[in-house]
Amino acid sequence: MATIREALLAALDHHASGRLDAAATLYSRIIEADHGQADAHHLLGVALTQMGGATDAVASFRTAIRLAPEQASFRSNAGNALKALGRQDEAHICYRMALALEPDHPDALGNLAAMTADPAEALAIARRSGRLDPLKEETLFNCGVLQRRLGREGEALDSFRACLQLSPAHAATLHSAAELLEADRPAEAAALFLRVARMVPDSLGSFLRAATALSRSGMVDSAIALLDGLVCEVPDLAEAHFNRAGLHHESGSLETASAGYRRTLALTPGDAEAWYSLASVEKDRHRMDAAVAGCRRALAVEPSFQAAQLDLRLVLGRQFPAWHFTMLADQARNAAYQRAIDAAVKPGMIVLEIGTGAGLLALMAARAGAAHVYSCELSRPLAELARGIVSDNGLSDRITIINKRSSELRVGIDLPEPADLLISEILDAGLLGEGAAASVAKAARALVKPDAVILPRGAVIKAMPIECPGLRSANPVGTIAGFDLSRLEAYRNPSYMVLALNDLPHRPLGPPTDVCWIDLRNPPAHGPVGSARLPIAADGALHAIAFWFELHIDDHTMLSTAPGSESRHWQQALQFLMIDRRMRAGDMVEAHLSYIAGRLHFSV
């Protein structure tokens, strides 16, 4: 019959070979034969802990400690069982008591380091453990983790590398080292992530991190190829589709990126980031309706998504040009139109407005008592916006917004009868640059009654000769900074520029002069529309003709767009001459105004 020592050696052999059940059975038989065998109780506790029976293991450890209270290992391993049960405070006490018995007990030091909340204290303990057992890779890994928590990333990387020299296949260390390398050495990080991915089954996250690191290192094609393989292997992995779409977006493959984000959303329809990314692609594809829809879906999922909030405003802003806001803020303009509309509208009138924008003038006409206002707007987003504003103000029953050009409107189809009043404000700084002449002329012939009132009535064009050396260097384009850039001149719009003259360094060479009256009820056709002799009051180089207008909305309401006037929306127009003209005080300049290609054009 085997002795207890022989039985204990046999049990240890089973234990060391991983035959835990056999080892636990022999430990139990030894304890039945001699209950005072402290080593058997201790080793049974170790085996039970490894087998997942931590509760029974704690009882075995307690017996072993009672029989041999001076053994530090008994208390350290009891701490492991208590830790497995989530009894952290008791485990901490066990490790401390083990170290009180044996201050350099490596396992107790390592376990205590892992449980210590203060990373600096934990690192000091782990280093003590490492000095006692320098070939234990787990201690080196723990030191790296703690150094990283303390922000000592260089030291952490050294610890991880030392761990990998001892255990090249230590997956957690490979992953941690890769994370440290991602920012500055992404190619090395990608290689480490791929090692983890190929080593650990189902480590899809490491494949994704590898692809990201490859793209950061400039190896975008390799990253895409890696993700192509991943989506083929795991077609329902939404994150792989998302990351792949992002790389295609960065590479300019917008259609493929859009399809990838849509596939992501088919798998995870509640992914706000994917909705926003899809919106970004559609914005780059100039599909603004789809971009708006994507941003709105992202915000429906995550209302505080700041990037989606800002991009939505940006995309909507592209559909509602910025000059609308300065126009709406022009109180002088608004008040002048309100006075003229209030005077013109009579009860029962049918009003036609051309170019509704935000719908302000249509709202004014309805408030003034029009029976019905029909307003056209070419831009579909603006037409929809105007309809919403009309509804917000409770006037949907008296204002109809039509998403058409004014030239497409038909009496009997869009309007029940010809209008009694025609209102428009489709003017730019050069008066007719937004197509006001053609639009108003056609509407006056086909859409209003013969005696209809047309607002505005007309405008006086005012012109002033100026010297403007700052902008002259590029109007027309010639030599700049000593280089011949004249090839660019073919791409410069030779028509007028729109500028705030008061904000532009310039010198008037003469006073503002009336050039001609333009009847906005019967706008000019193409060709000459007027001329004037501009007096020169100072010597200088004539670079440009600055001009603006006095708008007569009706017989009693005038609005000036001159520099410094109350109305600030339109600013002024600046028509540069092709060649400088040297002028002397007392000279006169013959200025001729023509209507060409839908804009007023000065020549001298």
Side-chain angles (χ1 to χ4, degrees), residues 344-420:
V345 172
K346 302 295 185 288
M349 266 191 172
I350 300 297
V351 176
L352 170 62
E353 184 203 11
I354 296 176
T356 195
L360 180 60
L361 301 187
L363 292 167
M364 288 180 177
R367 184 170 63 187
H372 204 96
V373 181
Y374 295 89
S375 185
C376 63
E377 173 56 56
L378 174 60
S379 165
R380 184 172 61 80
L382 282 185
E384 291 175 355
L385 176 65
R387 289 190 190 107
I389 290 174
V390 167
S391 175
D392 292 343
N393 287 275
L395 289 169
S396 296
D397 60 333
R398 293 175 53 209
I399 299 176
T400 299
I401 306 297
I402 305 165
N403 182 204
K404 288 183 179 181
R405 295 178 184 273
S406 60
S407 59
E408 297 172 336
L409 299 181
R410 297 291 182 270
V411 174
I413 298 175
D414 302 297
L415 287 77
E417 59 182 276
D420 302 292

Side-chain angles (χ1 to χ4, degrees), residues 466-469 472 509 541-545 575-577 580-581:
I466 67 169
E467 185 177 70
C468 184
R472 182 53 164 170
L509 298 181
L542 176 57
H543 293 150
I545 302 295
Q575 176 77 59
F576 277 91
L577 280 60
D580 291 357
R581 291 187 58 177

Side-chain angles (χ1 to χ4, degrees), residues 304-560:
S304 61
F305 196 155
Q306 189 174 27
Q309 291 171 348
L310 294 174
D311 245 11
L312 177 60
R313 297 290 290 271
L314 175 64
V315 174
L316 289 173
R318 289 185 181 182
Q319 298 175 344
F320 194 80
W323 55 260
H324 277 277
F325 295 98
T326 57
M327 179 181 69
L328 293 171
D330 191 333
Q331 296 182 27
R333 165 198 172 271
N334 297 342
Y337 264 91
Q338 182 71 77
R339 289 195 302 272
I341 288 171
D342 287 346
V345 172
K346 302 295 185 288
M349 266 191 172
I350 300 297
V351 176
L352 170 62
E353 184 203 11
I354 296 176
T356 195
L360 180 60
L361 301 187
L363 292 167
M364 288 180 177
R367 184 170 63 187
H372 204 96
V373 181
Y374 295 89
S375 185
C376 63
E377 173 56 56
L378 174 60
S379 165
R380 184 172 61 80
L382 282 185
E384 291 175 355
L385 176 65
R387 289 190 190 107
I389 290 174
V390 167
S391 175
D392 292 343
N393 287 275
L395 289 169
S396 296
D397 60 333
R398 293 175 53 209
I399 299 176
T400 299
I401 306 297
I402 305 165
N403 182 204
K404 288 183 179 181
R405 295 178 184 273
S406 60
S407 59
E408 297 172 336
L409 299 181
R410 297 291 182 270
V411 174
I413 298 175
D414 302 297
L415 287 77
E417 59 182 276
D420 302 292
L421 171 63
L422 171 61
I423 304 171
S424 68
E425 201 283 75
I426 45 177
L427 309 173
D428 73 337
L431 189 67
L432 301 179
E434 289 188 13
S439 298
V440 172
K442 188 173 179 69
R445 290 195 303 269
L447 301 174
V448 302
K449 295 174 181 175
D451 59 348
V453 177
I454 298 177
L455 302 179
R457 190 168 68 84
V460 175
I461 301 297
K462 312 277 281 189
M464 182 174 72
I466 67 169
E467 185 177 70
C468 184
L471 285 177
R472 182 53 164 170
S473 61
N475 291 276
V477 182
T479 299
I480 297 177
F483 297 100
D484 180 4
L485 301 185
S486 58
R487 188 180 291 267
L488 284 174
E489 174 59 19
Y491 299 90
R492 182 182 69 90
N493 187 341
S495 184
Y496 54 80
M497 303 173 68
V498 177
L499 298 163
L501 203 57
N502 279 349
D503 297 333
L504 175 70
H506 71 285
R507 186 167 69 94
L509 298 181
T513 302
D514 291 356
V515 176
C516 64
W517 164 264
I518 293 181
D519 187 351
L520 293 175
R521 298 167 299 181
N522 184 25
H526 289 277
V529 295
S531 62
R533 301 184 76 210
L534 308 182
I536 300 299
D539 295 352
L542 176 57
H543 293 150
I545 302 295
F547 67 101
W548 53 90
F549 56 87
E550 291 179 349
L551 183 66
H552 293 258
I553 303 176
D554 61 14
D555 291 338
H556 308 287
T557 308
M558 190 274 285
L559 190 65
S560 173

Side-chain angles (χ1 to χ4, degrees), residues 66-91:
R66 180 173 52 79
L67 293 171
E70 74 287 353
Q71 290 293 326
S73 293
F74 293 5
R75 297 180 187 275
S76 179
N77 287 328
N80 293 342
L82 290 164
K83 184 179 177 182
L85 292 170
R87 293 156 64 178
Q88 304 294 323
D89 291 343
E90 294 175 72

Side-chain angles (χ1 to χ4, degrees), residues 48-170:
L48 289 172
T49 302
Q50 293 171 330
M51 294 165 65
T55 301
D56 293 334
V58 169
S60 294
F61 285 130
R62 282 179 174 163
T63 301
I65 290 168
R66 180 173 52 79
L67 293 171
E70 74 287 353
Q71 290 293 326
S73 293
F74 293 5
R75 297 180 187 275
S76 179
N77 287 328
N80 293 342
L82 290 164
K83 184 179 177 182
L85 292 170
R87 293 156 64 178
Q88 304 294 323
D89 291 343
E90 294 175 72
H92 194 273
I93 291 170
C94 283
Y95 296 138
R96 289 288 186 189
M97 292 182 71
L99 290 170
L101 293 167
E102 188 179 331
D104 290 333
H105 192 286
D107 289 339
L109 283 168
N111 290 322
L112 184 61
M115 293 189 67
T116 300
D118 181 354
E121 182 184 353
L123 179 59
I125 296 170
R127 280 177 166 166
R128 282 176 58 195
S129 175
R131 285 192 292 271
L132 295 169
D133 188 357
L135 299 181
K136 188 173 183 180
E137 66 271 10
E138 202 63 33
T139 301
L140 289 167
F141 171 72
N142 290 337
C143 283
V145 171
L146 292 166
Q147 286 160 336
R148 189 177 177 187
R149 285 177 59 192
L150 289 166
R152 292 148 64 174
E153 296 190 350
E155 295 177 32
L157 190 57
D158 289 341
S159 294
F160 291 142
R161 282 175 170 156
C163 179
L164 291 171
Q165 286 181 343
L166 296 173
S167 180
H170 197 286

